[in-house]
Amino acid sequence: MLHDLKHLHSILADLPKAQLFVLTDSHTAEYCLPILADFIGKIPYHLLTIEAGEQSKNLASVQAVWDFMLKHRATREAVLINLGGGMITDLGGFAAATYMRGIRFVNIPTTLLAMVDASSGGKTGIDYQGIKNVIGTFTPPVATLIHPEFLRTLPATELLSGFAEMLKHALIASPKEWIKLLQLAQEELPQEQFVEALSSTGALQASIQIKENVVSQDPHEVGLRKILNFGHTVGHAIESTMLHHTTPRYTMLHQTSHGYCVLWGMVAEVYLSVVHTGCPREVLQQLTQIMLQWYGKPQCDCKQRDQLIQRMYQDKKNNANQTPNFTLLRNIGEPIINQYLTEEDINEALEYLFSL
Ligand code: GLY
């Protein structure tokens, strides 16, 4: 269920609850909690804050949430509010889904990426043994509450990271939204106006709605939901290569890179769509233009192509034969799932990406 944050009070009033808990990270505690506190009003709550950053999305943090709940004698009627980006909504959702076999939780995403993707759809989880999101559940939040004002606190790289997922939603579901986003990308608005335009054009709401529509038809990713993986087969391989890179430059980049990696992944996968499923070349040109204008080139070089392909073979989306599974496009709004390609095909798409 999606609502504006101003509905928080009525949602909490409708939830019979023993205790209210709020989970934040060190950034959202500073920038977003004061705003949330106004909306919570006089309802008492217990606050737990964990260190910001993907490195906190681990079992130790989940344990910290469980310990905190036990310390405050949280019962099954407790409600957890997750205030943050995808790290907090994934982690908090997982802690809530497993505490006493599941307590209710509300997601309040504070990044564009979390608003359009992570906070809705019920995927919860943590990274484990260096593998992203490998432990988790499908557990939907009671509600996801959107407050576009939070976007004003974000650096440009965070906005672009979320914008990439918006581009993905448009590509898999809506030629109309694709045109709207192309225009937004071309206008080169100052950041403040760009944030404003995301809401005033309806682009933000439409993007969230596309995801909600897909998830409501296939919550456990048996079929249709795989269309949301568009760009992610190549994107995850790039992301996990960067995650395992130890230089400070890569460590710094990976904090905001999920959307960037998806964008680069989509360029490669639109290339594959042009070659294998008849997608018009114009779509590849438009996406490549956005990449060069806003995102730059991938932060790993051509020498790592073998490593990238190897990572695609280890992806958790694969079938029993461990062959990389792609979602491709016949056209904008016409995705096609379960496409299996040869190493040669994949290599050709990577060659295009790295030649730009
Ligand atoms: N992030 C894609 C999904 O939720 O299925």
Side-chain angles (χ1 to χ4, degrees):
M1 214 191 346
L2 269 175
H3 290 289
D4 196 280
L5 184 55
K6 59 179 183 283
H7 292 112
L8 176 66
H9 228 270
S10 62
I11 286 168
L12 291 179
D14 285 349
L15 285 179
K17 63 194 162 307
Q19 305 106 325
L20 183 62
F21 289 83
V22 176
L23 178 67
T24 66
D25 68 30
S26 40
H27 290 156
T28 56
E30 189 178 342
Y31 298 108
C32 307
L33 184 61
I35 297 171
L36 175 64
D38 281 347
F39 283 96
I40 293 181
K42 292 200 169 73
I43 305 170
Y45 61 88
H46 302 289
L47 173 68
L48 176 64
T49 299
I50 61 171
E51 192 56 38
E54 183 74 16
Q55 70 282 358
S56 291
K57 196 172 156 183
N58 57 25
L59 198 53
S61 301
V62 175
Q63 259 178 309
V65 179
W66 290 333
D67 290 349
F68 188 73
M69 300 246 187
L70 283 171
K71 187 174 111 190
H72 291 282
R73 299 176 194 279
T75 65
R76 247 194 203 152
E77 275 72 49
V79 172
L80 175 66
I81 294 179
N82 298 315
L83 177 71
M87 187 278 281
I88 285 290
T89 58
D90 281 11
L91 169 84
F94 181 64
T98 45
Y99 183 81
M100 292 200 173
R101 298 206 175 89
I103 61 165
R104 292 156 302 169
F105 63 99
V106 174
N107 283 339
I108 305 182
T110 56
T111 65
L112 184 57
L113 189 68
M115 285 183 196
V116 298
D117 190 14
S119 67
S120 68
K123 281 187 180 173
T124 78
I126 53 167
D127 304 336
Y128 188 66
Q129 292 198 5
I131 309 170
K132 268 182 75 76
N133 301 328
V134 70
I135 306 293
T137 66
F138 283 105
T139 314
V142 178
T144 297
L145 303 179
I146 302 296
H147 188 55
E149 288 296 305
F150 286 137
L151 299 178
R152 296 189 192 286
T153 65
L154 297 178
T157 46
E158 273 286 357
L159 285 173
L160 282 172
S161 194
F163 192 66
E165 291 282 359
M166 292 179 69
L167 291 166
K168 180 195 80 179
H169 288 161
L171 281 172
I172 60 173
S174 171
K176 185 172 137 233
E177 290 305 314
W178 176 248
I179 289 168
K180 200 189 277 175
L181 297 186
L182 277 186
Q183 278 165 356
L184 266 178
Q186 275 159 11
E187 277 174 36
E188 302 221 17
L189 296 170
Q191 189 168 326
E192 182 95 343
Q193 286 175 35
F194 177 72
V195 168
E196 189 71 43
L198 288 177
S199 296
S200 65
T201 59
L204 176 63
Q205 298 79 349
S207 191
I208 297 171
Q209 205 51 58
I210 288 170
K211 169 139 191 199
E212 289 275 306
N213 288 347
V214 172
V215 170
S216 67
Q217 294 173 66
D218 178 22
H220 293 105
E221 200 170 300
V222 181
L224 179 74
R225 186 169 179 164
K226 292 183 188 176
I227 67 175
L228 294 173
N229 293 333
F230 177 63
H232 283 62
T233 302
V234 176
H236 271 160
I238 297 177
E239 188 170 8
S240 103
T241 304
M242 287 166 72
L243 208 72
H244 289 81
H245 228 281
T246 49
T247 66
R249 179 151 176 262
Y250 283 101
T251 308
M252 188 192 78
L253 273 167
H254 100 250
Q255 303 283 338
T256 50
S257 68
H258 177 74
Y260 281 64
C261 294
V262 169
L263 194 285
W264 295 320
M266 286 194 294
V267 172
E269 294 182 21
V270 171
Y271 179 93
L272 290 169
S273 303
V274 171
V275 176
H276 298 279
T277 52
C279 183
R281 189 163 276 277
E282 187 194 14
V283 182
L284 181 62
Q285 285 158 351
Q286 290 167 331
L287 188 65
T288 301
Q289 167 61 24
I290 291 180
M291 174 187 130
L292 295 173
Q293 186 180 354
W294 290 105
Y295 294 83
K297 297 173 190 182
Q299 305 294 320
C300 49
D301 62 36
C302 336
K303 286 190 219 91
Q304 289 171 309
R305 253 181 290 165
D306 284 353
Q307 203 182 330
L308 286 174
I309 292 175
Q310 199 187 327
R311 287 202 194 280
M312 287 177 221
Y313 276 82
Q314 292 161 349
D315 197 301
K316 65 180 177 305
K317 297 188 291 298
N318 295 345
N319 63 5
N321 301 327
Q322 292 297 309
T323 319
N325 182 332
F326 289 87
T327 293
L328 298 182
L329 301 175
R330 287 198 184 96
N331 205 335
I332 296 171
E334 295 176 36
I336 165 166
I337 61 171
N338 295 334
Q339 298 298 296
Y340 299 97
L341 301 165
T342 65
E343 250 185 83
E344 219 169 53
D345 297 331
I346 302 169
N347 209 20
E348 188 184 309
L350 291 178
E351 211 152 277
Y352 170 76
L353 177 64
F354 289 116
S355 71
L356 293 167

